[in-house]
Amino acid sequence: MDMTAIGVVVVTRRREFFETGFSVLNDVRGDVFQHVEIDADIDYAPAQSVSNPVYREACDKAVRFLAARQERLAIKVIQADSLEAAFGKITATPTQGGFQVGMLFIDYADPLYDGISPQEIDEQLASFHTRLQEAAVPAFCSSFSTAVFASPQENRIRYQPMEYIECILPSDRAVLQTQLLCLWMDFLEHSYVNRRAKTDTRGLRRNTLAAFLTGFLSARAGSDWLGFYFTGSLVSNLITYFDVEANRLGALVLRGPSEHSLACGALANWQLYKKPFAVIVTSGMIDEFRGTLANLREARAKGFIVCAENRASQWFAFQGTISRDEDTRAVLQARGIAYVYMEDADNIAQDLRRAVALYDAGQGPVVLLATQAVLDAGDELDPALFAPALKECTAAPDEAMQDVLQDVMQIINQGPERLLWQCGPMDEEELALTLSIAERAGIALTDSLTHPGSVPKYRDGKRIPNYLGTLAVYGYSPRVYNYLHTRDKLNPQSQQCLFFMKSKLGQVSTPFSEGRLMRKLRIVQLTRNGAHMSPFTDHGLVMDYRSFLHHVERHLDVSPALRERRCRLMASVADTPSDVASKLPSTPMSPNYFFARLNHLVEKLIVERAYDYTGLYDVGRCGISAIRNVARTRRGFSGWYGRALMGDALQATLSVAYTSGTNVVAFIGDGAKGLVPDILPSFIENALNYPDRMRKNFTVFYFMNGGHSVINTYQERILFNRTSRQMRLVNLMSADWEEDICGLQVCARTLDSFDADMLAEALQKPGRINLFSVVVGHNNEGDGISLATATGWQRDAMQIEPAAVAEDVPLIV
């Protein structure tokens, strides 16, 4: 009877390691292993195993298990001092039919391999198995077919290898021989005894849903789309095929510490770069997206969210969300989230056509609730599913809209003297047109709390003179306030007009109460959705912003005298912080002081060293302070968007760091940090897969003021209450450390003072991750948290009493 020959490859230069393994093989050889051949470079001698009760128990169980088998196997042990030498032996020596490379035992406890990383070993083994496949040598290729022994190392991070079992070489030989025996028997049980295991693998089994996701998104966006997943049993096969296909097609596949973090990454990348996406999660996890799911809908983000789901007829499925007691489809419908329930594998094509139609409707992500039968299906798809969508035609404004456009052009061309545009998110063409029109017409520009940097302070290293700052419910800039007010009273409607572009003019847009918006301000609003036209709007434009800009450009006719007066009014509002707190180096630092110093440094780097960065701003006082005070060079992502969820900006950094073409700086409060998982482990896991993507600089400022500062200010400044326990947070101080991890220089440091030279170097160094915990105190001074702070005593010129404006302050937290 022909016997299968299993190749056991031992990579070692040390005789004692090889002899220990050989003694184990002799102890369990029995009737199953009828022939053993040795090809070794080491001058070895047969050695007896060390007597040990645990080892003897393992031997007895192994012999009993093997004796019950009918297989008859031949063993060929191949020893070499490197994988390269082992490959040469395997391919150079003719072998009888039925030879298969089975288990690999690799001894990297040798001092020669000190400092070798799991990632490097993974790459070596992946290359080794690829070359075996190219040489047509049958081989088992799985993590349980290879064991690597290494010396103990004191590493700050640890992660699971992809290609092997990680073992620390024990000093006790009895432990080593028992461990080798267990590894060998596990391999036999999982491979040769397992009838489903095959060495002549034919590649990945096709997965219909994964093929659709990768093929459809690639047809629509090339490689400029993102994949996200969080594993689970039911979706694991789908993810495996999806991961391989997405990487083959050149798309990024990123991970995070929670399902919520994936939604944050999808939202940020849609807002910043218009990247469509696919998110895959397992059963019941639709609830884990938090309010970010609604934010994705509000942003009209294009993508698919795949959630494993049970059959509707199944009796109370584990983690299921469709049962006699509940139905997640009703929740999705109530939130305005498009979905397709994919229950039957026979209806996949029909269901996917519905999903494509919903995707092309552009109303937000499409949730695919898929049963296991659908998730595991492997049928071919009709290529027509991937056909490009018909381009949307922009309708010309109707007669009524033409009248509004005429009125708006009269405002722009003839007055009033103060025009302020709050701009929503714009692409490069829209931004260029906006800046050109603003410069020629003398229009002041602002960004917002939800879209910081829609108009940046600097563009291509040059100052934008028309940019005044931020207008928002929180974080509005003093220049914006002073531009709209004279002696702390709003200028009359005859003297100014506010334009809200690409906006639904929600409460987050301004610090003004509804009464003031209705009675004290003249407002132009532009939106593509007529249902979003506010009751405060005097001139409403339901149209595409780009079409509006082209119309303005064609009809722009502002006199030089009016433009000069407008520019003089913009220049009259100073661009320097007037509060004393921003100049006082107290301990702990005030947010005012830290951000004033940081802005001075950032502006210096922008002008002198062409510094460029993408900002991420979390919900909290210091996120507000960063939006208000630190100059931007481009659009950033704000956690204040939509539901204003603490932690969204922090979780979004995990993907923006790998998709942004610039440096990335995140501003995160201690409340937001404590609400979501630590980003560093997932950040490094992504770096293992995409090491070339982190040649930029990535900095996170964690602000530690020991409380929910915005709520604290609301209590103290608006309601005149004392602080209370509900606002308190506990900060745990950690020792500073620095380490090179996966080719990245990681620096974790606590800052209790402002060191401009250190920060200048830290912010610019490529391939570096800065995790800076900034110790700051709480105060109620400035930073636009409330209109009540706009008239404080620290201003350069004393104004009217704060009570005169405090009575109309909106009570928002």
Side-chain angles (χ1 to χ4, degrees):
M1 179 176 66
D2 292 336
M3 292 184 294
T4 300
I6 303 177
V8 179
V9 180
V10 183
V11 176
T12 185
R13 302 192 309 165
R14 297 185 304 131
R15 173 177 171 174
E16 60 272 22
F17 184 87
F18 183 74
E19 288 182 346
T20 301
F22 187 57
S23 69
V24 171
L25 190 58
N26 277 331
D27 287 343
V28 298
R29 170 171 186 175
D31 292 333
V32 174
F33 306 123
Q34 293 193 339
H35 178 74
V36 177
E37 179 185 349
I38 308 293
D39 179 3
D41 297 331
I42 288 177
D43 184 16
Y44 71 96
Q48 293 293 321
S49 56
V50 176
S51 179
N52 176 274
V54 177
Y55 178 66
R56 292 276 22 116
E57 179 186 353
C59 278
D60 291 344
K61 290 180 176 179
V63 170
R64 185 171 67 248
F65 177 83
L66 293 171
R69 311 307 304 168
Q70 296 180 357
E71 297 89 348
R72 294 296 179 263
L73 305 173
I75 302 294
K76 180 172 183 178
V77 180
I78 300 171
Q79 179 272 321
D81 62 5
S82 68
L83 279 172
E84 182 67 28
F87 177 79
K89 282 191 172 186
I90 293 168
T91 55
T93 305
T95 57
Q96 299 295 324
F99 174 81
Q100 302 167 352
V101 174
M103 188 81 186
L104 274 69
F105 295 94
I106 300 176
D107 173 20
Y108 276 177
D110 190 312
L112 177 67
Y113 299 102
D114 282 352
I116 190 169
S117 70
Q119 182 79 346
E120 292 172 303
I121 299 173
D122 271 342
E123 291 170 358
Q124 289 180 6
L125 290 169
S127 174
F128 176 76
H129 283 108
T130 298
R131 294 177 67 193
L132 286 179
Q133 188 176 31
E134 292 171 349
V137 177
F140 280 98
C141 179
S142 71
S143 56
F144 63 78
S145 63
T146 303
V148 177
F149 288 82
S151 299
Q153 296 183 21
E154 293 185 3
N155 294 325
R156 185 171 291 275
I157 69 163
R158 181 177 178 274
Y159 52 90
Q160 179 181 357
M162 297 290 98
E163 302 287 338
Y164 65 94
I165 301 169
E166 177 187 32
C167 305
I168 299 300
L169 185 70
S171 56
D172 186 332
R173 183 176 176 184
V175 175
L176 174 60
Q177 65 192 24
T178 308
Q179 191 171 8
L180 290 171
L181 174 57
C182 290
L183 290 166
W184 173 241
M185 291 304 299
D186 285 345
F187 165 71
L188 284 176
E189 183 176 23
H190 291 146
S191 56
Y192 289 93
V193 175
N194 181 4
R195 299 301 181 188
R196 299 179 66 183
K198 305 287 185 184
T199 53
D200 55 339
T201 177
R202 290 160 290 182
L204 284 175
R205 181 177 178 273
R206 182 177 180 82
N207 184 281
T208 303
L209 196 51
F212 164 74
L213 294 170
T214 55
F216 178 86
L217 291 172
S218 295
R220 296 298 177 89
S223 61
D224 196 24
W225 58 273
L226 292 175
F228 301 94
Y229 62 78
F230 197 96
T231 190
S233 299
L234 292 182
V235 294
S236 56
N237 284 335
L238 166 66
I239 289 171
T240 297
Y241 189 93
F242 176 86
D243 212 350
V244 171
E245 278 296 286
N247 279 286
R248 182 182 68 81
L249 293 166
L252 283 178
V253 179
L254 299 168
R255 297 181 60 200
S258 65
E259 292 85 356
H260 170 232
S261 69
L262 310 182
C264 294
L267 176 63
N269 278 283
W270 176 257
Q271 286 193 345
L272 294 178
Y273 312 120
K274 285 293 182 284
K275 288 181 183 287
F277 57 87
V279 179
I280 302 172
V281 299
T282 197
S283 299
M285 297 301 112
I286 188 72
D287 297 328
E288 297 299 323
F289 290 116
R290 299 176 63 201
T292 308
L293 185 61
N295 290 348
L296 284 164
R297 186 258 307 146
E298 181 168 329
R300 301 297 188 259
K302 285 196 168 187
F304 297 100
I305 298 174
V306 179
C307 296
E309 190 52 77
N310 55 280
R311 290 176 285 106
S313 60
Q314 192 169 353
W315 185 257
F316 289 105
F318 174 61
Q319 292 188 300
T321 63
I322 298 176
S323 72
R324 292 169 179 258
D325 287 347
E326 64 174 319
D327 194 332
T328 195
R329 293 171 293 184
V331 177
L332 292 172
Q333 187 172 355
R335 286 187 167 188
I337 307 293
Y339 71 89
V340 178
Y341 177 45
M342 304 180 68
E343 185 175 21
D344 191 339
D346 293 336
N347 296 330
I348 285 181
Q350 177 183 340
D351 289 340
L352 290 179
R353 280 192 287 272
R354 286 182 55 213
V356 169
L358 291 170
Y359 177 96
D360 287 333
Q363 296 302 303
V366 181
V367 175
L368 304 180
L369 301 167
T371 63
Q372 186 167 8
V374 173
L375 293 170
D376 291 342
D379 300 326
E380 294 283 346
L381 289 169
D382 183 354
L385 275 173
F386 306 145
L390 296 175
K391 289 191 175 180
E392 183 180 351
C393 296
T394 303
D398 58 22
E399 185 175 343
M401 199 60 59
Q402 290 288 358
D403 290 342
V404 179
L405 275 172
Q406 185 174 347
D407 292 341
V408 171
M409 286 310 307
Q410 183 173 358
I411 292 171
I412 294 172
N413 287 329
Q414 299 180 23
E417 293 184 346
R418 299 174 196 256
L419 297 187
L420 187 141
W421 287 15
Q422 183 193 71
C423 299
M426 297 181 286
D427 60 28
E428 284 299 310
E429 180 187 354
E430 290 171 337
L431 176 58
L433 280 169
T434 299
L435 295 179
S436 173
I437 290 168
E439 192 276 329
R440 291 153 56 198
I443 298 170
L445 301 173
T446 75
D447 57 359
S448 64
L449 187 64
T450 53
H451 297 291
S454 57
V455 180
K457 190 173 185 178
Y458 289 86
R459 181 171 165 85
D460 299 325
K462 296 180 180 178
R463 176 78 176 268
I464 296 175
N466 294 64
Y467 174 74
L468 295 188
T470 301
L471 176 65
V473 65
Y474 302 134
Y476 58 88
S477 302
R479 291 191 77 199
V480 175
Y481 178 88
N482 291 332
Y483 182 77
L484 296 175
H485 294 75
T486 299
R487 292 189 295 276
D488 291 321
K489 289 187 178 295
L490 275 170
N491 299 314
Q493 291 180 329
S494 60
Q495 295 181 12
Q496 64 186 17
C497 183
L498 274 64
F499 284 58
F500 293 90
M501 300 302 192
K502 301 179 80 170
S503 169
K504 58 185 177 183
L505 222 173
Q507 197 172 19
V508 71
S509 301
T510 81
F512 305 120
S513 66
E514 291 189 359
R516 288 193 170 197
L517 291 170
M518 187 73 74
R519 298 186 298 271
K520 300 289 187 180
L521 291 164
R522 188 178 184 186
I523 292 173
V524 175
Q525 181 189 358
L526 183 145
T527 174
R528 293 187 64 179
N529 188 342
H532 291 167
M533 194 59 64
S534 85
F536 326 116
T537 299
D538 300 292
H539 309 278
L541 296 166
V542 181
M543 63 185 301
D544 177 73
Y545 184 52
R546 184 181 283 105
S547 299
F548 170 75
L549 291 172
H550 286 306
H551 179 87
V552 173
E553 192 173 44
R554 288 193 302 270
H555 297 87
L556 192 63
D557 186 20
V558 178
S559 69
L562 177 57
R563 177 187 179 278
E564 183 181 353
R565 290 197 300 274
R566 286 175 172 173
C567 291
R568 189 166 59 246
L569 285 170
M570 285 188 285
S572 69
V573 288
D575 187 27
T576 55
S578 62
D579 55 297
V580 176
S582 65
K583 306 175 181 67
L584 183 64
S586 57
T587 303
M589 292 181 288
S590 67
N592 313 58
Y593 177 80
F594 178 84
F595 283 106
R597 295 291 305 274
L598 181 63
N599 179 65
H600 178 76
L601 172 62
V602 167
E603 293 204 42
K604 182 179 176 69
L605 295 177
I606 292 169
V607 173
E608 297 181 0
R609 305 188 190 179
Y611 181 71
D612 189 15
Y613 78 99
T614 298
L616 294 100
Y617 309 87
D618 222 313
V619 175
R621 160 66 189 276
C622 290
I624 290 172
S625 297
I627 289 173
R628 183 183 193 254
N629 294 296
V630 183
R632 285 175 284 281
T633 58
R634 59 183 58 242
R635 275 185 63 196
F637 173 71
S638 172
W640 291 93
Y641 179 83
R643 290 201 173 10
L645 300 175
M646 294 176 70
D648 269 24
L650 177 56
Q651 295 301 297
T653 61
L654 288 167
S655 59
V656 173
Y658 291 90
T659 55
S660 171
T662 69
N663 301 314
V664 175
V665 183
F667 302 91
I668 315 296
D670 46 7
K673 181 185 179 184
L675 195 63
V676 295
D678 184 8
I679 64 166
L680 186 58
S682 295
F683 193 101
I684 292 170
E685 200 284 331
N686 287 328
L688 292 172
N689 213 41
Y690 301 107
D692 295 335
R693 288 271 177 170
M694 274 308 298
R695 299 292 177 246
K696 67 202 79 169
N697 180 277
F698 176 76
T699 298
V700 180
F701 288 107
Y702 293 117
F703 295 94
M704 304 168 68
N705 61 13
H708 294 291
S709 193
V710 175
I711 313 299
N712 215 345
T713 291
Y714 175 72
Q715 284 283 316
E716 294 178 338
R717 191 73 191 245
I718 306 301
L719 302 183
F720 311 107
N721 291 333
R722 297 182 62 182
T723 190
S724 64
R725 182 183 177 186
Q726 63 177 302
M727 274 80 80
R728 186 173 64 192
L729 295 170
V730 176
N731 299 142
L732 302 179
M733 302 298 179
S734 300
D736 295 354
W737 60 272
E738 291 190 29
E739 189 169 319
D740 286 337
I741 300 175
C742 305
L744 300 173
Q745 182 184 358
V746 182
C747 173
R749 188 174 299 176
T750 298
L751 310 181
D752 53 16
S753 62
F754 193 91
D755 186 336
D757 292 336
M758 182 277 291
L759 284 173
E761 179 185 1
L763 288 170
Q764 296 179 91
K765 192 168 184 179
R768 175 163 166 167
I769 302 173
N770 298 307
L771 304 174
F772 292 148
S773 297
V774 185
V775 181
V776 292
H778 165 73
N779 67 12
N780 298 319
E781 175 51 46
D783 279 355
I785 294 176
S786 163
L787 275 177
T789 68
T791 57
W793 68 270
Q794 296 191 32
R795 293 178 61 185
D796 287 337
M798 294 300 290
Q799 302 285 316
I800 61 174
E801 291 298 318
V805 296
E807 61 183 11
D808 226 2
V809 173
L811 301 183
I812 307 169
V813 292

